[in-house]
């Protein structure tokens, strides 16, 4: 058995979805969050736009209004409500929301995505590895003002960073680590750079020679050797030379230390982690996210019926399908070509069934996904039917190395029963559908509830994105809740439930839903504690067909 390390990850975990965004960057099964910052200069074909720089700036502007003594503000996505302020000049905010909005949902806060943007941008631009913690909470309204502006004096900047929890040396480092990417846009800051139309792409970069698309320390070395083109150092308008004032705030002591590339990397990893981990009082961040070693994904768990054509006897089964994601990178010394993966499952009462569920390596793109920082994963698919009367309560993952016969069993860090499966609530995707009639969409969601749980409330939360006119392009979530009612149809040990809800035209294609049987309410952010809850992403294309009978 793989031992249970203290604090080891137990599936399912409360941050599983953001861990996917963090880990599944490219390859066979990918979320593709990094696609917007690869290469580091990439700007979605908009002249003057560099997504990586915008992500870093947006994160800082969201955090910069923190008052750590009061416990208010910090990285909380309040920036969604603050884009009309003159301290948040430019298109960076809406550009960033436009991309990150695609990853935002009821279980993935925008604030975590903004924080992750710093980690991914730094990594893809050749910068240091920055720890990523999850668990931020999105603010429901605008926060205080207080993002530093380039025409403020040094005392104001020093006081502002102190309010945010950063010393003078931290301030110097944070500005240098931020201004290693991107530059100043002429149309947004004509006072700094003069003629708004002067430069191609309308931007003067902080570092020359292509270095503005590399996370390196030229911003300080160019400043120290007098070759800098940084418009916040050499502007003709000295009032706006904020980097000059900040960098020299301690007689260049900090920038001289940062001229050592190794010191620069380590310092940036530290101050940028502290920047994204500055959160309002009461928000508890997770331990740093580590790509999960063995992670199951259950794609379907549903009741099916079949009739034997010769005997006419009908059988009721639970169809279960999904994937096991296995880390491959060098720390694990695993080889996907020398790996056989099976699930060993237990019935509803916890008794081992003695039948292995086999898996096969995904063939698409070699069955591999790349994460950040050199991490790789392989995918092993499974699909089987099990006797619905016996049910399933969980499984362990058995990995055999055919070349040596060595067997390793993964038991979810010693969690009783291994990886748990709750068969009290089955989401019936085939019986669910999204129908359009005369431009009106209605969603029907069907579920099967084990007969011993039919008295428990069964609720549906449909979460969909809405825009708020006048408040930037930032995505906001709205939830429509409903209860499923019994259809009266009993199949084996299960009763079928159903509900039909209307969907707004602007939102049906972005909707996702949660089903929750009894216990904790859906939408409380604690997936692990919510018994039997299912999450379905992007239901539009999946469900746009008539509901089928069971
Ligand atoms: C005294 C504090 C600071 C001042 C006055 C300041 C000022 C500015 C100004 C005027 C711009 C030009 C924006 C544009 O034209 O789009 C800019 C860009 C930028 N800032 Fe700062 N900044 C400060 C601190 C920081 C910090 C701490 C970070 C991150 C850690 C940061 C990250 C960036 C980035 C990445 C850009 C480039 C954006 C792009 O190219 O789209 N800044 N900053």
């Amino acid at each position: 058995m793989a031992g249970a390390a203290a604090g080891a990850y137990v599936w399912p975990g409360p941050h599983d979805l953001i861990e996917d965004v963090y880990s599944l960057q490219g390859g066979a099964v990918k979320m593709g969050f990094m696609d917007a910052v690869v290469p580091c200069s990439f700007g979605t074909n908009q002249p003057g736009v560099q997504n990586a720089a915008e992500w870093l700036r947006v994160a800082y502007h969201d955090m910069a209004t923190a008052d750590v003594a009061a416990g208010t503000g910090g990285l909380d996505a309040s920036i969604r409500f603050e884009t009309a302020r003159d301290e948040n000049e430019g298109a960076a905010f809406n550009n960033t929301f436009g991309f990150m909005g695609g990853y935002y949902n009821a279980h993935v806060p925008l604030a975590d995505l903004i924080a992750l943007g710093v980690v991914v941008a730094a990594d893809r631009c050749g910068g240091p590895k920055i720890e990523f913690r999850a668990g931020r909470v999105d603010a429901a309204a605008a926060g205080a003002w207080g993002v530093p502006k380039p025409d403020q004096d040094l005392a104001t900047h020093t006081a502002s960073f102190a309010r945010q929890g950063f010393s003078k040396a931290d301030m110097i480092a944070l500005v240098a680590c931020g201004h290693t990417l991107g530059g100043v846009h002429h149309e947004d800051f004509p006072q700094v750079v003069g003629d708004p139309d002067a430069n191609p792409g309308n931007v003067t970069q902080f570092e020359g020679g292509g270095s503005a698309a590399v996370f390196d320390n030229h911003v300080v070395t160019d400043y120290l050797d007098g070759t800098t083109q940084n418009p916040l150092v050499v502007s003709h308008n000295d009032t706006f030379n904020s980097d000059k004032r900040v960098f020299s705030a301690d007689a260049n002591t900090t920038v001289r230390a940062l001229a050592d590339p190794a010191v620069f990397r380590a310092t940036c990893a530290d101050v940028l982690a502290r920047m994204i981990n500055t959160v309002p009082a009461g928000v508890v961040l997770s331990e740093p996210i580590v790509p999960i070693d063995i992670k199951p994904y259950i794609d379907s768990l549903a009741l099916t019926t079949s009739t034997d054509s010769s005997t006419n006897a009908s059988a009721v089964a639970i169809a279960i399908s999904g994937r096991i994601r296995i880390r491959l990178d060098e720390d694990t010394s695993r080889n996907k070509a020398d790996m056989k993966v099976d699930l060993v499952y237990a019935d509803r009462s916890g008794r081992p069934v003695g039948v292995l569920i086999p898996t096969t390596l995904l063939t698409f793109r070699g069955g591999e996904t790349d994460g950040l920082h050199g991490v790789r994963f392989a995918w092993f698919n499974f699909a089987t039917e099990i006797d619905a009367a016996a049910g399933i309560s969980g499984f362990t993952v058995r990995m055999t190395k055919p070349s040596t016969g060595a067997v390793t069993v993964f038991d979810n860090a010693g969690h009783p029963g291994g990886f748990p499966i709750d068969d009290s609530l089955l989401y019936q995707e085939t019986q669910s559908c999204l129908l359009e009639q005369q431009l009106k969409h209605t969603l029907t969601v069907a579920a099967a509830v084990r007969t011993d749980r039919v008295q428990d409330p069964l609720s549906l939360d449909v979460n969909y994105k809405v825009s708020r006119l006048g408040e930037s392009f930032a995505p906001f979530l709205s939830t429509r809740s409903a209860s499923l009612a019994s259809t009266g149809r009993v199949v084996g040990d299960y009763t079928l439930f159903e509900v039909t809800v209307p969907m707004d035209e602007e939102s049906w294609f972005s909707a996702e839903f949660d089903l929750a049987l009894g216990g904790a309410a859906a939408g409380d952010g604690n997936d692990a504690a919510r018994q039997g809850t299912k999450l379905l992403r992007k239901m539009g294309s999946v469900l746009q067909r008539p509901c089928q009978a069971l």
Side-chain angles (χ1 to χ4, degrees):
M1 286 277 167
Y9 169 78
V10 174
W11 181 85
H15 306 298
D16 281 349
L17 291 177
I18 189 84
E19 195 271 346
D20 280 349
V21 184
Y22 178 80
S23 290
L24 309 182
Q25 294 292 347
V29 180
K30 69 167 197 173
M31 302 286 288
F33 192 75
M34 72 172 186
D35 290 356
V37 293
V38 176
C40 176
S41 58
F42 186 56
T44 328
N45 298 327
Q46 296 176 59
V49 171
Q50 185 185 350
N51 294 332
E54 293 193 344
W55 289 7
L56 196 51
R57 179 166 176 249
V58 169
Y60 177 62
H61 282 226
D62 191 26
M63 188 288 297
T65 55
D67 183 336
V68 291
T72 56
L75 222 152
D76 59 1
S78 65
I79 192 80
R80 266 194 299 191
F81 304 94
E82 298 160 357
T83 50
R85 296 177 179 176
D86 63 359
E87 61 187 33
N88 295 323
E89 200 63 66
F93 306 93
N94 280 327
N95 289 346
T96 303
F97 299 147
F99 181 79
M100 293 188 181
Y103 295 83
Y104 166 59
N105 63 42
H107 305 274
V108 177
L110 189 61
D112 273 354
L113 293 167
I114 293 172
L116 183 59
V118 173
V119 175
V120 175
D123 181 63
R124 293 294 104 175
C125 294
K129 178 174 175 180
I130 300 168
E131 67 167 32
F132 174 64
R133 297 169 189 261
R136 287 165 197 79
V137 177
D138 289 344
W145 289 61
V147 180
K149 300 200 311 188
D151 52 345
Q152 291 166 327
D153 63 16
L154 181 63
T156 307
H157 284 156
T158 312
S160 173
F161 278 81
R163 168 178 47 70
Q164 300 158 31
F166 295 96
S167 68
K168 188 185 276 186
D170 293 337
M171 167 179 77
I172 298 164
L174 210 45
V175 173
C177 300
H179 292 176
T180 181
L181 299 181
V184 177
H185 292 83
H186 296 212
E187 65 183 348
D188 301 325
F189 292 91
Q191 321 90 315
V192 181
V193 271
D195 178 3
D197 301 319
N199 269 29
N202 178 35
V203 71
T204 300
Q205 293 170 325
F206 294 122
E207 302 172 332
S211 196
V214 182
F215 197 109
D216 60 15
N217 68 345
H218 278 202
V219 65
V220 290
T221 54
D222 293 355
Y223 160 81
L224 285 170
D225 66 22
T227 60
T228 190
Q229 66 173 45
N230 179 342
L232 298 179
V233 175
V234 297
S235 172
H236 64 280
N237 187 345
D238 205 38
T239 310
F240 285 83
N241 278 328
S242 54
D243 280 11
K244 185 169 93 178
R245 290 187 289 274
V246 168
F247 290 167
S248 61
D250 62 359
N252 289 344
T253 309
T254 300
V255 277
R256 271 198 211 100
L258 294 174
D260 176 338
V263 172
F264 183 79
R265 286 177 77 83
T267 307
C268 292
D270 172 54
V271 289
L272 289 174
R274 284 164 52 205
M275 174 178 105
I276 61 176
N277 292 341
T278 300
V279 291
V283 174
V284 180
L285 296 181
S286 71
E287 288 301 305
I289 298 280
V290 176
I292 293 163
D293 192 35
I294 306 286
K295 187 174 181 185
Y297 295 73
I298 305 299
D299 294 335
S300 72
L301 186 68
L303 207 60
T304 62
T305 55
S306 58
T307 309
D308 187 311
S309 52
S310 53
T311 63
N312 227 16
S314 69
V316 182
I318 295 174
I320 179 169
S321 67
R323 293 159 287 156
I324 308 293
R325 190 189 89 186
I326 296 179
R327 252 185 96 157
L328 280 188
D329 43 289
E330 57 221 26
D331 312 354
T332 65
S333 64
R334 291 178 189 140
N335 172 5
K336 68 176 188 219
D338 188 17
M339 198 187 282
K340 184 173 168 312
V341 177
D342 301 290
L343 311 190
V344 182
Y345 77 100
D347 71 11
R348 190 172 294 138
S349 68
R351 217 177 11 237
V353 174
V355 181
L356 293 181
I357 302 176
T359 72
T360 50
L361 178 67
L362 176 70
T363 48
F364 181 63
R365 294 198 171 175
E368 263 193 45
T369 288
D370 297 314
L372 293 181
H373 314 122
V375 172
R376 293 185 300 126
F377 306 95
W379 297 88
F380 290 85
N381 292 349
F382 62 89
T384 193
E385 290 190 357
I386 56 183
D387 177 10
I392 179 169
S393 58
F395 58 85
T396 55
V397 174
R398 199 174 120 130
M399 189 192 294
T400 310
K401 204 171 176 184
S403 63
T404 62
V407 172
T408 315
V409 174
F410 298 92
D411 62 357
N412 201 18
H415 183 77
F419 297 93
I421 300 285
D422 179 352
D423 70 1
S424 60
L425 171 65
L426 308 178
Y427 164 53
Q428 298 299 112
E429 183 167 295
T430 319
Q431 285 74 56
S432 304
C433 56
L434 182 69
L435 291 183
E436 189 203 323
Q437 264 180 341
Q438 291 169 342
L439 292 175
K440 295 247 173 291
H441 283 85
T442 53
L443 170 70
T444 297
V445 175
V449 179
R450 216 173 53 212
T451 305
D452 59 305
R453 298 283 307 272
V454 288
Q455 299 305 330
D456 286 358
L458 177 55
S459 59
L460 171 78
D461 275 355
V462 183
N463 305 302
Y464 52 97
K465 282 168 208 157
V466 290
S467 52
R468 295 192 190 169
L469 284 179
E471 262 178 336
S472 77
F473 298 152
F476 294 85
L477 275 182
S478 208
T479 302
R480 179 167 297 157
S481 300
S483 295
L484 281 79
S486 169
T487 63
R489 177 149 180 234
V490 174
V491 179
D493 292 334
Y494 287 84
T495 302
L496 296 184
F497 280 66
E498 201 177 83
V499 68
T500 296
V501 291
M503 299 293 299
D504 296 340
E505 277 325 292
E506 73 157 332
S507 59
W508 65 265
F509 54 87
S510 72
E512 304 168 336
F513 60 81
D514 293 321
L515 273 175
L517 178 65
D524 62 2
N526 187 354
D527 293 320
R530 218 180 307 138
Q531 204 177 11
T533 296
K534 305 282 173 275
L535 178 81
L536 188 78
R537 290 172 208 86
K538 306 281 180 259
M539 64 192 189
S541 58
V542 184
L543 295 181
Q544 265 191 303
R545 43 144 183 81
C547 289
Q548 290 154 40
L550 178 64

